[in-house]
């Protein structure tokens, strides 16, 4: 047994012994109401960042809260042995809004452990899975390495962001301004999921994102539908026609040029995906759906991992309170987003979408747009040795072959790390499909938290062993 | 000069002398936040009813607040001379919600008089025009008759409702339960407008209303668009397609059977309408519109007065707060309403609309409906002597020929008075197109209030003279 292997045994034993304390620290983090998209929670976000910096300092990181024009970043550095790889770990401490609050069974910011009939346990809270629970798996792995051996086996820089759920407006300027400080050999991003509850996964493709908001304006004020109904243009009617025209009856997006740059996955990846035991019926059935709504000629896994989408995330106009109001509203608005793959260009698609809206706008309407982030899709170099080393560590910890999988979501940071810092990302995470991230009653498996921390302890050793 | 004419001179002089006191009473009424559609304002509604009953008692009415299953009614009786006609005056003391509050230039429940550069004055407040200012024109006319002559020239029953803006759920049961108490020779309804600022009008056709709310439900919870975008059915997309399919590109409603029962106006009425100086460009231009959005082969006046509509009054789904949330919502909903004419059957149209929604619903969606009122359109017996008497009184007061006009709005009470009490309604009101009823910055012309009160004083005399 090498010295590194021996040290790892001690680190894993320490993680097992310190489980209660680790959970209590996670609960502290979960109690912060760090909703980044809503300015009312700015103070909560700052306090969360301060708490994280203090935690990192306590385990030997040179850590600080960095002011941005939005919510702050947390950066920490811990040096490893000479010649060991230098790794950047990224996570985000901000969370999604909690509405509709009435769908929550417990208060979203009062974390609790729930025990199922089969004895398995879960951590219930907003952010438990996305991303506070995930980022704490890495922090706890570092703590155990530090406390057991006095140092980390690799040099580690930590970057925690507070705007991931609100389009990351400060991220690119921050990366550009701190290129030297943040450029490492490899990034590690913990914002993805397991293949299933027993099978760990490394995400090797990601969909990109183009988000946009449109406001359609008609009359100069809200009108009474008795006095104006008929001749007055109704912006809800206009917006409905615009949204309704974006998909054909085969589920394809009709926007001209939308599919430009879409790349089919490589035969190797496609073969791996085909071999994965995926039950589309069960996947949809878990949220009470049964009929795939994407492109009719594509499998559900393709619809999720390798095909782009155009989705409507929010729509509002007119009177939406209790009761009824016979109003013709002055305006109606929608928030839309596209998931992008391959070489689709987010800005070209934003331009095409806006042009389509303008072309379909009646004379009596005006339109305003607000951009909400854009990032292209990503394919990572999964054939390189670091990825194989991490896959080996995960397989050893979980006792099941780790899978290279696609990810339907967008993790723009991975694209930025490539573009700005010239760094690939190893995406490992322990979330499950049913974690209800972005939804009421979000949870994280207690096993994800505990075995996740052990997984990172092993990955650090495996990457160190390659040096 | 007859005794009645002489009395009327005194009554009119008294109204002129008591203008300040009348305005101060109206301001008291306008300060009540009697928003009937929102249960939070139930106490305000009750207090408004109590204030009105007290006012009526103060001018000789036997008045009381009547409990209903919703907001209360106010009923008052004042006996006139033997043989004089018995009139029922109807108004409503509830008001529309005030959102969007940020569009108001002054607080909606703090009434104020504003003076324009040309010296004309207006009363600014929610309900100033719809319907508190209007109903007080009649109360002030009664007060002046009573104070000047000791009695009213006709027997008068007053009925003030508190649920007109929220579908009048208690009205029909109340009318049915008080048939004997409320049946008179003629009803007078003050909830309509002038033809223009100088020309009074009597509304002789009204559009009916069918209001409905639909909730389209898809997945059992809100979903992350990264994890489910593509295969998961998006209820905003479904709802948009449903709403977009309800009008063809000529502005016609596509619902099967929708136009069944639509009746063209009589040649007499059509000739009168054609003779009215109506500037469609200016009408639409006053709210920054320019292109009629209704049926392409109909004039704007027809679109407003004699053609039915299908309008969308509110739509909501997904994340509608500040910022962005990449959610696939569990549901989306819309409030719709149809303006109806002639013999269109509101319940048949509700059935057709619901059937259309169900036919266009994908397998993965469920739907729920909530009815929001229904009433057919109305044509009144404008050739009868009472209407001519009222027209004469209005013409005398305003110095301009009063017009028999159509009304694009729905005043369901007129239909109920016909059906339940067998009584026609004389619809006289002093609102103007630009009063912004149901909108921010609602106003009522001070002249409408003052000359309106004088108009009712004259109408009471004219109807009494016919006896």
């Amino acid at each position: 047994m090498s010295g590194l292997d021996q040290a790892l045994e001690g680190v894993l034993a320490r993680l097992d012994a310190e489980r209660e304390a680790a959970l209590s620290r996670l609960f502290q983090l979960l109690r912060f109401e760090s909703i980044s998209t809503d300015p009312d929670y700015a103070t909560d976000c700052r306090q969360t960042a301060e708490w994280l910096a203090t935690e990192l300092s306590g385990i030997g990181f040179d850590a600080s809260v960095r002011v941005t024009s939005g919510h702050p970043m947390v950066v920490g550095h811990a040096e490893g042995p000479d010649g060991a790889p230098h790794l950047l770990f990224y996570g985000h401490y901000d969370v999604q809004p909690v509405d509709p609050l009435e769908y929550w069974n417990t208060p979203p910011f009062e974390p609790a452990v729930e025990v199922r009939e089969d004895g398995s346990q879960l951590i219930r809270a907003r952010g438990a899975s996305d991303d506070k629970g995930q980022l704490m798996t890495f922090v706890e792995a570092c703590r155990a390495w530090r406390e057991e051996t006095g140092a980390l086996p690799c040099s580690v820089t930590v970057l925690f962001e507070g705007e991931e759920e609100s389009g990351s407006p400060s991220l690119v300027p921050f990366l550009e301004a701190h290129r030297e400080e943040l450029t490492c050999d490899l990034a590690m991003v913990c914002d993805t999921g397991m293949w299933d509850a027993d099978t760990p996964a490394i995400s090797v493709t990601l969909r990109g994102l183009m988000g946009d908001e449109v406001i359609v304006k008609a009359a100069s004020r809200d009108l009474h539908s008795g006095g104006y109904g008929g001749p007055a243009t109704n912006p809800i009617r206009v917006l409905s026609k615009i949204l309704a025209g974006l998909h054909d009856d085969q589920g394809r997006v009709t926007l001209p040029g939308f599919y430009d740059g879409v790349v089919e996955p490589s035969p190797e990846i496609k073969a791996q995906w085909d071999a994965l035991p995926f039950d589309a019926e069960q996947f949809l059935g878990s949220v009470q759906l049964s009929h795939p709504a994407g492109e009719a000629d594509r499998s559900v896994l393709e619809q999720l991992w390798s095909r782009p989408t155009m989705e409507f995330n929010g729509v509002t106009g007119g009177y939406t309170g209790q009761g009824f109001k016979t109003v013709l509203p002055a305006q109606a608005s929608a928030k839309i987003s596209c998931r992008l793959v391959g070489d689709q260009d987010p800005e070209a698609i934003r331009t095409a979408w806006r042009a389509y809206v303008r072309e379909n706008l009646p004379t009596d309407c005006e339109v305003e747009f607000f951009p909400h982030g854009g990032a292209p899709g990503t394919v990572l170099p999964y054939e390189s040795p670091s990825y194989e080393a991490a896959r080996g560590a995960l397989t050893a910890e979980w006792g099941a072959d780790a899978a290279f999988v696609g990810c339907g979501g967008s993790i723009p940071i991975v694209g930025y790390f490539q573009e700005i810092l010239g760094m690939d990302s190893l995406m490992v995470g322990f979330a499950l499909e049913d974690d209800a991230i972005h939804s009421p009653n979000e949870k994280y498996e207690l096993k994800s938290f505990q075995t996740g921390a052990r997984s990172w302890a092993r990955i650090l050793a495996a990457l160190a062993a390659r040096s």
Side-chain angles (χ1 to χ4, degrees), chain A residues 180-250:
Chain A
E180 202 175 337
E181 182 182 0
L182 297 174
T183 299
C184 299
D185 301 315
L186 181 70
M188 298 180 297
V189 174
C190 189
D191 203 14
T192 52
M194 306 269 291
W195 167 250
D196 61 30
D198 302 314
T199 315
I202 299 176
S203 299
V204 295
T205 65
L206 281 173
R207 289 197 291 189
L209 183 76
M210 187 287 288
D212 218 48
E213 184 168 352
V214 61
I215 303 180
V216 173
K217 299 179 174 192
S220 52
R221 59 175 173 84
D222 284 4
L223 304 173
H224 184 201
S225 80
Y228 289 88
T233 295
N234 185 327
I236 301 178
R237 180 170 146 198
V238 172
L239 183 63
S240 298
K241 288 241 188 219
I242 286 172
L243 297 184
L246 284 161
H247 296 87
D248 68 17
D249 60 6
Q250 295 300 301

Side-chain angles (χ1 to χ4, degrees), chain A residues 104 112 114 116 121-130 430-437 439-446 448:
Chain A
W104 285 80
E114 297 175 19
R116 295 194 187 85
Q121 297 177 59
L122 58 89
I123 302 159
R124 183 84 67 191
R126 169 56 88 225
S129 176
D130 183 18
F430 309 98
L432 295 186
E433 274 316 332
D434 67 354
D435 278 358
I437 65 168
S439 296
N441 301 314
E442 180 176 350
K443 61 90 179 164
Y444 196 46
E445 294 298 316
L446 187 61
S448 290

Side-chain angles (χ1 to χ4, degrees), chain A residues 211-453:
Chain A
D212 218 48
E213 184 168 352
V214 61
I215 303 180
V216 173
K217 299 179 174 192
S220 52
R221 59 175 173 84
D222 284 4
L223 304 173
H224 184 201
S225 80
Y228 289 88
T233 295
N234 185 327
I236 301 178
R237 180 170 146 198
V238 172
L239 183 63
S240 298
K241 288 241 188 219
I242 286 172
L243 297 184
L246 284 161
H247 296 87
D248 68 17
D249 60 6
Q250 295 300 301
R252 275 179 70 87
V253 176
T254 57
L255 222 49
F258 181 76
Y259 290 94
D260 291 356
V262 171
V263 176
E264 295 291 333
S266 73
E268 291 79 12
I269 279 289
K270 222 164 182 172
Q272 256 220 46
W273 291 357
D274 288 345
L276 286 170
F278 178 71
D279 183 339
E281 200 173 318
Q282 196 244 315
F283 170 75
L284 288 173
S286 69
V287 292
Q288 307 291 320
L289 297 175
S290 59
H291 284 65
E295 294 165 87
D297 58 347
R298 298 290 179 158
S299 74
V300 169
L301 221 48
E302 284 178 293
Q303 290 178 17
L304 279 176
W305 287 354
S306 67
R307 300 300 299 175
T309 66
M310 159 73 81
E311 292 291 357
F312 311 138
N313 307 116
V315 63
T316 186
Y319 184 68
T320 59
Q322 283 197 54
F324 208 76
K325 187 173 171 182
T326 51
V327 68
L328 297 188
Q331 65 175 53
S333 66
K335 298 181 204 264
I336 66 119
S337 63
C338 297
R339 296 288 173 178
L340 307 178
V341 302
D343 299 323
Q344 280 182 297
D345 176 352
E347 293 313 314
I349 288 173
R350 190 190 309 282
T351 303
W353 139 257
R354 292 182 176 187
Y356 160 83
V357 172
R358 289 207 170 88
E359 276 157 26
N360 287 279
L361 209 62
T363 321
D364 267 349
C365 290
E366 285 178 14
V367 77
E368 265 191 89
F369 293 100
F370 301 90
H372 286 286
T378 304
V379 179
L380 289 159
Y382 48 88
E383 67 287 359
S384 75
S386 303
Y387 287 76
E388 279 304 331
R391 176 140 88 148
L394 286 169
T395 300
E397 174 62 30
W398 291 80
D401 276 348
F404 283 156
V405 299
C407 171
S410 308
I411 307 187
I413 187 75
V414 172
Y416 299 141
F417 283 163
Q418 273 184 334
E419 289 159 36
I420 300 167
L421 306 182
M423 202 168 43
D424 288 318
S425 296
L426 175 69
M427 284 185 285
V428 172
F430 309 98
L432 295 186
E433 274 316 332
D434 67 354
D435 278 358
I437 65 168
H438 294 209
S439 296
N441 301 314
E442 180 176 350
K443 61 90 179 164
Y444 196 46
E445 294 298 316
L446 187 61
K447 182 178 179 185
S448 290
F449 181 55
Q450 292 168 343
T451 311

Side-chain angles (χ1 to χ4, degrees), chain A residues 8-199:
Chain A
L8 177 61
E9 290 304 310
V11 169
L12 294 175
R14 180 172 285 265
L15 280 169
D16 291 346
E18 298 287 335
R19 283 176 166 186
E20 283 307 310
L23 189 63
S24 143
R25 287 184 287 264
L26 173 59
F27 273 29
Q28 287 181 47
L29 178 58
L30 290 170
R31 287 192 191 101
F32 290 101
E33 305 190 5
S34 49
I35 301 170
S36 60
T37 203
D38 187 335
D40 288 350
Y41 295 88
T43 302
D44 305 78
C45 289
R46 190 175 42 72
Q47 289 169 341
T48 317
E50 284 162 3
W51 184 90
L52 281 166
T54 306
E55 280 300 297
L56 290 174
S57 300
I59 54 173
F61 280 80
D62 175 12
S64 54
V65 172
R66 305 292 182 85
V67 173
T68 71
S69 58
H71 304 300
M73 305 278 179
V74 178
V75 178
H77 300 287
E79 248 181 79
D82 280 354
H86 188 174
L87 308 171
L88 175 76
F89 180 87
Y90 165 89
H92 64 90
Y93 65 79
D94 62 319
V95 299
Q96 283 275 321
V98 296
D99 61 285
L101 193 57
E102 65 269 25
Y103 284 20
W104 285 80
N105 299 323
T106 56
F109 295 107
E110 296 178 18
V113 167
E114 297 175 19
V115 185
R116 295 194 187 85
E117 281 194 9
D118 67 2
S120 66
Q121 297 177 59
L122 58 89
I123 302 159
R124 183 84 67 191
R126 169 56 88 225
S129 176
D130 183 18
D131 186 43
K132 289 172 175 175
Q134 302 248 54
L135 74 83
M136 287 300 279
T137 59
F138 186 78
V139 173
E140 293 301 335
C142 290
R143 182 192 312 275
W145 269 103
R146 164 88 182 181
E147 291 181 354
E148 183 67 18
T149 72
L152 301 183
C154 305
S155 289
V156 172
T157 292
V158 166
L159 172 65
F160 294 144
E161 186 196 358
E163 303 182 323
E164 201 272 346
E165 304 291 6
S166 54
S168 295
S170 311
L171 185 62
V172 167
F174 191 83
L175 295 182
E176 285 172 344
H178 300 84
R179 253 197 200 93
E180 202 175 337
E181 182 182 0
L182 297 174
T183 299
C184 299
D185 301 315
L186 181 70
M188 298 180 297
V189 174
C190 189
D191 203 14
T192 52
M194 306 269 291
W195 167 250
D196 61 30
D198 302 314
T199 315

